[in-house]
Amino acid sequence: MAVAIAALPATRTAGRPRIDYAGIALISLAATGLTLVTSWGGTEYPWTSPTILWMAAGSVVLLVAFVFVEQRAAEPMLPMRLFRSRVFTVSAS
C-alpha cells in the first residue's frame, strides 16, 4: 500500500461527480429480476407461469430503459462506448 500511495499520482477533479442514480436503480432492479427468474424458474414456479413470464418481461424492459438512460447520462455508470471494443465485449460475455 505504501508503494502504491507513493507511486500513484494524485488526481484532483474540478467539480463534484454526477452520480447516475437512475442507471444504478435500473440495472439493480433488472439484475434482481433476472436472478429471481433464473433461480425460481422451474423450481418455485413453472417456467411458463405468469410470475416468471412477467418478471422476465419486466427485467428486459428495465434493461432497455437502462441502455436508454445510460446513453443520455452526463457521467454514465457504464458508458455504452465500451461495447464498441471487442476486448470489452468478449470479456463481459
Side-chain angles (χ1 to χ4, degrees):
M1 290 297 288
V3 172
I5 290 170
L8 291 175
T11 58
R12 304 227 186 253
T13 58
R16 295 179 53 119
R18 297 172 126 182
I19 299 174
D20 182 20
Y21 292 110
I24 292 168
L26 288 170
I27 197 67
S28 298
L29 291 170
T32 301
L34 289 175
T35 301
L36 289 174
V37 165
T38 57
S39 64
W40 285 353
T43 58
E44 301 289 323
Y45 298 96
W47 283 107
T48 56
S49 72
T51 302
I52 296 299
L53 295 176
W54 280 110
M55 196 177 310
S59 296
V60 169
V61 168
L62 288 168
L63 284 173
V64 170
F66 171 75
V67 171
F68 182 77
V69 166
E70 292 300 290
Q71 288 176 339
R72 286 151 184 78
E75 292 184 29
M77 183 183 78
L78 180 63
M80 293 294 117
R81 65 178 160 71
L82 291 176
F83 289 97
R84 291 185 203 128
S85 166
R86 280 199 261 174
V87 173
F88 179 82
T89 305
V90 168
S91 64
S93 298

